[in-house]
Amino acid sequence: MKLLFIITVFISIFGTNLELTEIREAYVNAPRNKEVTMKLSDKLSSVSKKDSPVLVAYKGAVLTIKAKFAKGKNNKKELFKEGAELLEYAVKTSPNNIEIRTLRLSIQENTPKFLKYHKNIVQDKQFILDHFKGIASMAEKVFVRSYVLQSEGFSDSEKELF
């Protein structure tokens, strides 16, 4: 019985990590590709607040990107609002998670000014600068580094730290 439980836990953890790796890779291309965004949104559609905060953050970030491709002002607004709320929930639930902070920063840096979703840019950027060296997961480190190196929000001297 214990062995069955251990195997089940291992499979669920391994499955989530594999899925998270795929989500990270797809997320990089989502802002520029409607098809990738829609596939990623479908993949994350079953994610709820009961799931890992990182998955909730990805769902929120993808919904805000999906708003960019949506038709109709109200549909765009609702998707963006839902996505931002999920992102904020993930940050509140796991405030010391650098990947979640990177996701929020990626959305806030690229959100049009009129949506007024920019208040955490300085805070998240500083958090990333302060905590990057402490990332244990190589996949997470690669994701954060990749974002920072392409971001216009980090100076060249800051990028050299990554």
Side-chain angles (χ1 to χ4, degrees):
M1 188 61 125
K2 284 183 181 180
L3 181 61
L4 181 60
F5 176 74
I6 292 170
I7 291 172
T8 304
V9 169
F10 178 77
I11 290 172
S12 69
I13 290 171
F14 180 73
T16 300
N17 286 338
L18 179 60
E19 183 176 303
L20 190 53
T21 300
E22 293 169 8
I23 290 168
R24 281 182 185 123
E25 290 171 5
Y27 180 79
V28 171
N29 297 311
R32 294 174 301 284
N33 189 314
K34 180 179 180 178
E35 186 177 323
V36 170
T37 300
M38 297 311 168
K39 285 181 181 176
L40 199 47
S41 179
D42 288 344
K43 185 173 191 124
L44 294 166
S45 65
S46 64
V47 172
S48 72
K49 290 181 177 178
K50 294 178 183 175
D51 291 306
S52 155
V54 173
L55 289 176
V56 173
Y58 272 104
K59 181 177 182 173
V62 169
L63 286 173
T64 64
I65 295 168
K66 189 175 175 180
K68 170 182 168 181
F69 298 113
K71 295 187 189 240
K73 187 177 177 180
N74 287 337
N75 194 24
K76 287 178 180 276
K77 181 180 175 182
E78 289 305 313
L79 282 169
F80 187 85
K81 184 178 174 184
E82 181 183 355
E85 286 174 1
L86 287 172
L87 262 172
E88 292 304 318
Y89 172 83
V91 172
K92 185 177 181 181
T93 303
S94 196
N96 295 320
N97 186 301
I98 195 168
E99 186 167 10
I100 292 172
R101 294 289 197 101
T102 303
L103 288 168
R104 181 169 70 177
L105 181 63
S106 76
I107 297 304
Q108 289 192 359
E109 283 187 339
N110 294 291
T111 295
K113 298 288 183 209
F114 72 88
L115 290 172
K116 298 179 181 169
Y117 188 59
H118 300 93
K119 69 179 181 178
N120 306 105
I121 290 175
V122 172
Q123 172 190 1
D124 287 346
K125 178 183 164 185
Q126 192 60 53
F127 185 88
I128 291 165
L129 289 168
D130 292 344
H131 294 91
F132 180 76
K133 290 183 180 179
I135 299 174
S137 162
M138 185 53 89
E140 190 175 344
K141 197 169 218 169
V142 167
F143 175 77
V144 173
R145 177 183 292 124
S146 296
Y147 179 75
V148 168
L149 294 177
Q150 65 79 45
S151 170
E152 293 178 11
F154 289 84
S155 69
D156 289 340
S157 60
E158 289 170 331
K159 289 178 181 182
E160 288 177 12
L161 302 172
F162 293 85

